[in-house]
Amino acid sequence: MPMRYGVKVLSYLSAYKALAVATLGAVVLVTLANLLAPWPMKVLIDSVLGDHPLPGILTGSYFAEHPYVLIAVVVAAGFLIVLLQNGLQVFREYVNTQLKLRITLDFRVDLFQHAQRLSMAYHDSTYSGNLVYLLNNQADAVAGLIMTVPTLAQSLLTFIGMFLVVVFIDAQLALVSLLVLPFLFYSVRSYSSRIHQPLHRVKDLESQTLSMIQEAMSMLRVVVAFGREKHELNRFRAQGREALDARVDVTVRQSLFELTVNLITAGGVAFVVGLGAVHITHGTLTVGELLVVMAYISTIYQSLGTISSTVGSLQDQLVSIERAFEVLETDPDVSDRPGVGKFVSVRGSVAFEGVSFSYDGQVGTLSDISFRVEPGEFVAIIGPTGAGKTTLVSLIPRFYDPGKGRIMIDSTDIRDHSIESLRRQISIVGQDPLLFVGTVAENIRYGRLEASHAAVMEAARAANAHEFIQRLPDGYETLVGERGARLSGGERQRISIARAFLKNAPILILDEPTAFIDPKTEGRVLEALNTLRLGRTTFMISHRPGTISEADKILVIEQGRITEMGSHEDLLSGEGLYGEFRSILEKQVHT
Ligand code: ADP
C-alpha cells in the first residue's frame, strides 16, 4: 500500500483524539492487569502452601504471622484482578466500537460524496454495483486498519513486559521461548504475499454479483417481457458460484495460516514446559515460578498469535483500502476550478463557440458546434438517432466538458462559475422521468426542497397534474413505487414538469419529453410544457412537426455537426434535411 494512503488513513483519526487516547490508555491498563494476573497464585503456591519466603515487600509483615489472612487477601487480590481485567475489557470494547464505527461512517460519507461528484463519464464506464459494494462492504477497512494499532500495541506491550519478567525469573526459559519467532515471521510473510491476489479476485467477483442484482432489478421489465428470467437466474447462479469458490479458497488459506500459527506456538509451549520441569527437578525454579512463567508464556504466545493473525488479516483491509482510495483518487473530470464565482439569476442567453466533444473511444461525437440563443428563445434540435442531440444538450449543465471550444451563459464561460450554481439555472425534463420512492408531493418538492405545500400544488396545477393527483387514493400523499412504477408515463412526466415549475430555472432542456407518452395524454403534457417554457430559454429535442415549427430557431444535427440552422421558414426553403424531414412527417400525419 503506498505511503500516502497511510497518511490519509491517519487523517480520519484526527477528529477523535480523545477516543484514541482512551483506547491507548485502555491498552496500557489491560497490559498491566495481565502482568499482575498470575502473581497471587504464585504467592499462594510457593509461600503459603510451600515453604518459600514471602516476596520482599511482604516479608516480616503482619501477613507472615497470619497465614489465613494472607490466603484470604491473596484470593481476594486474584479476584479483584480478574474483575479489573473484565471491567477494562468492557471499557475498551465501548471505546473501540465508538471509534471504529465513527471512522467508518466518516469514510463512507466521503466515498458517497465523491461518488456523487464523479463525472457522468466515470459512471458510464463503471458498474454502479462496484460503488455499492465499496460503500457497503469495504468502507470499514480504514477503521479496521486503524483499530489494528491498539490490538498490536497491546500484544506487543504484553509480549515485552512479560518477556522481561520471565528473563528475570529464568533467563534460559525466556530465550528458549523466543525460538518460535523465526517460524512465525516466515509464515506471516509467506501468507501475506500469497493472499493478496486471491483477495482482489474475491472482491471483484463479489462486487460483480451486486452489479448483476442491480441490473437485473432495474431491467426487470425487459427481462420479463422477453421471458428471460431463467437465463438471468442461470447467469446469476453461475457468477455467484464463481464468487463462492473464490471466497472458499481465501477462507481455506486464512484458516491454514491460523492453523500454522497455532501449531508453532503450541510447539513453543511444549518445549518451555518440558525445560521448566527439568529446571524444577534441578531446583533452579519453584513450582510457583513455573506457574507464573507458564501463564506468561502462554500469554506471550497468545500475543504473538494475535500479532501474526492481525498482520495476516491486514492484507484484507489493505486490499479494500487500495480499492477505496482508487475511487477517492479518481478525479472528477468535471469539477470546479479553484476560486470560481457563482451564477446568480442569469438572463439565459446561451452560446456554443467552436465546441467539439467525443466520448471515450469515439471520434467526432460533436464537431465544431457554434450557435447563439437569446434569453427566452425556443430552440428545437432535430436530427437522426445517434446524431449527437442528447450529447449536445448534456454539455450545458456540464454532465461532460467539451474537448475543444467553450459554452457561454450570459457571456460567461460556464466553467468560470461553480457547477452547483450552473445547474441551479437549468431544469431538465427527459424522455423517461424517474421518480423517487416517496409521496407525489415529495417528488415534486425535489425541485425546491423548501417549497410550501401551496407552492407544490401551484406547480402541479401549472403542469396539468393537479387533477389526476387529486384522484389518486391519497392525493398528494400517495406513495409512488420505485422509479414511479405505479403511475403512467404521462402522469410521471407531468410530475417531473411540476418539479421544473417549482425549480423555476431560466434555462430549460427538454429531451423528447413526449417520446413514451400515449397520444391521448400527449396533448396535456405539451400544454404544460408550453406554459413551462414561457420566458425561459428552451432547448427541445423533438420529432413533432407541430412543436418544431413553433421554435424560434431550429438546429439540424447530423453526425455530430450542425448542418442547418434557422427559423422554420428559413429552413423550409432550403435543400437540406429539414425540408425532407418536414415532407416525410407531414405525409405521415396526413395518412
Ligand atoms: P442522439 O441524442 O442524437 O440520438 P446521442 O447524443 O445520444 O445521440 O449519441 C451520439 C453518439 O454518442 C452515438 O453514437 C452514441 O452511441 C454515443 N453515445 C451516447 N452516449 C454515450 C455514452 N454515455 N458513452 C459513449 N458513447 C455514447
Side-chain angles (χ1 to χ4, degrees), residues 172-378:
Q172 201 181 7
L173 279 189
L175 287 178
V176 165
S177 75
L178 290 189
L179 283 179
V180 296
L181 281 185
F183 295 102
L184 284 178
F185 178 77
Y186 176 76
S187 53
V188 169
R189 214 179 59 169
S190 106
Y191 169 76
S192 302
S193 64
R194 274 172 215 194
I195 198 74
H196 200 81
Q197 197 53 36
L199 271 173
H200 257 297
R201 200 173 111 76
V202 163
K203 284 170 201 236
D204 274 341
L205 287 167
E206 287 177 352
S207 71
Q208 274 170 31
T209 308
L210 267 185
S211 298
M212 280 181 86
I213 297 174
Q214 209 165 18
E215 189 183 59
M217 293 306 134
S218 61
M219 299 285 289
L220 197 61
R221 275 167 201 277
V222 183
V223 175
V224 175
F226 282 88
R228 290 281 180 253
E229 293 93 330
K230 214 166 172 181
H231 168 73
E232 287 297 323
L233 190 66
N234 288 340
R235 236 162 53 97
F236 182 65
R237 196 196 302 272
Q239 203 280 340
R241 182 75 215 195
E242 202 183 340
L244 179 152
D245 288 342
R247 181 50 88 179
V248 168
D249 174 58
V250 163
T251 309
V252 168
R253 285 167 194 258
Q254 283 167 336
S255 322
L256 280 179
F257 169 66
E258 280 185 16
L259 175 74
T260 315
V261 169
N262 288 343
L263 279 181
I264 295 173
T265 54
V269 170
F271 210 67
V272 173
V273 170
L275 194 64
V278 173
H279 286 189
I280 293 179
T281 56
H282 290 173
T284 52
L285 196 71
T286 70
V287 178
E289 279 169 346
L290 181 65
L291 213 73
V292 172
V293 169
M294 283 327 300
Y296 276 13
I297 297 272
S298 70
T299 316
I300 285 176
Y301 282 171
Q302 248 172 32
S303 309
L304 286 177
T306 311
I307 293 174
S308 311
S309 54
T310 310
V311 172
S313 73
L314 273 184
Q315 286 304 317
D316 204 333
Q317 326 270 18
L318 292 181
V319 169
S320 297
I321 286 175
E322 261 175 58
R323 297 164 71 96
F325 276 115
E326 245 166 56
V327 173
L328 274 181
E329 288 188 349
T330 307
D331 277 331
D333 315 326
V334 177
S335 60
D336 282 339
R337 289 176 183 164
V340 286
K342 273 188 184 161
F343 278 113
V344 200
S345 58
V346 305
R347 297 186 55 237
S349 76
V350 177
F352 276 52
E353 297 180 359
V355 169
S356 298
F357 171 81
S358 297
Y359 290 108
D360 268 352
Q362 269 193 15
V363 275
T365 312
L366 290 176
S367 315
D368 198 20
I369 304 280
S370 297
F371 64 86
R372 185 180 164 81
V373 181
E374 298 309 324
E377 272 190 331
F378 173 30

Side-chain angles (χ1 to χ4, degrees), residues 124 359-360 362 365 384-392 400 541:
D124 288 346
Y359 290 108
D360 268 352
Q362 269 193 15
T365 312
T385 310
K389 305 180 293 294
T390 304
T391 310
L392 188 148
Y400 308 91
I541 300 174

